[in-house]
Amino acid sequence: QVQLVESGGGLVQTGGSLRLSCAASGHTEGVYAMGWFRQYPGKEREFVAAISWSGAMLTYADSVKGRFTISNDAFKGTMYLEMNFLKPEDTADYYCSASRGTIWTMTDSEHWWGQGTRVTVTS
């Protein structure tokens, strides 16, 4: 079992920045990818960005490319999402995930979720 704890959400104005963090603990051996997903009210959770545990491979949703940066500190078991140039449409609950799959197949393999952190961008 892997435990994930997110932090860093909050309220920000359009064009502002926020940094989300996700700390992983438990049986993290065999975790090959970590990522961020977001969920709008009444909608399914959608992919935002993912990074391999080594940090060598990254992938982003088109909607956040050039604005969000994912990174990690494998030694600490912590992942980050630097969000810049935030827009009102980025308002959502953001979830950290860890997976035994690749950065492209995270939810197809055994995976875990954090409790989520809310990001609100005001216009």
Side-chain angles (χ1 to χ4, degrees):
Q1 194 76 351
V2 175
Q3 292 79 45
L4 303 168
V5 178
E6 302 104 331
S7 60
L11 182 70
V12 65
Q13 290 186 331
T14 296
S17 300
L18 280 176
R19 189 192 198 206
L20 305 183
S21 299
C22 174
S25 62
H27 295 286
T28 57
E29 65 279 0
V31 170
Y32 295 108
M34 293 185 71
W36 292 96
F37 293 71
R38 63 187 180 188
Q39 190 167 21
Y40 302 106
K43 302 286 188 179
E44 291 191 359
R45 209 164 286 185
E46 68 176 36
F47 172 77
V48 175
I51 186 168
S52 59
W53 187 261
S54 67
M57 294 184 291
L58 312 170
T59 186
Y60 295 93
D62 288 343
S63 58
V64 306
K65 278 181 183 175
R67 300 189 299 121
F68 291 10
T69 302
I70 190 170
S71 62
N72 72 338
D73 183 333
F75 182 75
K76 293 182 179 179
T78 304
M79 175 180 63
Y80 308 96
L81 186 68
E82 187 74 35
M83 304 186 293
N84 298 313
F85 306 107
L86 283 161
K87 306 174 181 179
E89 50 264 43
D90 294 318
T91 296
D93 291 323
Y94 284 72
Y95 294 87
C96 168
S97 182
S99 172
R100 300 206 190 283
T102 70
I103 59 173
W104 300 282
T105 61
M106 287 190 64
T107 57
D108 295 334
S109 303
E110 185 178 16
H111 61 279
W112 299 268
W113 297 103
Q115 82 285 356
T117 186
R118 179 155 294 177
V119 171
T120 303
V121 185
T122 60
S123 56

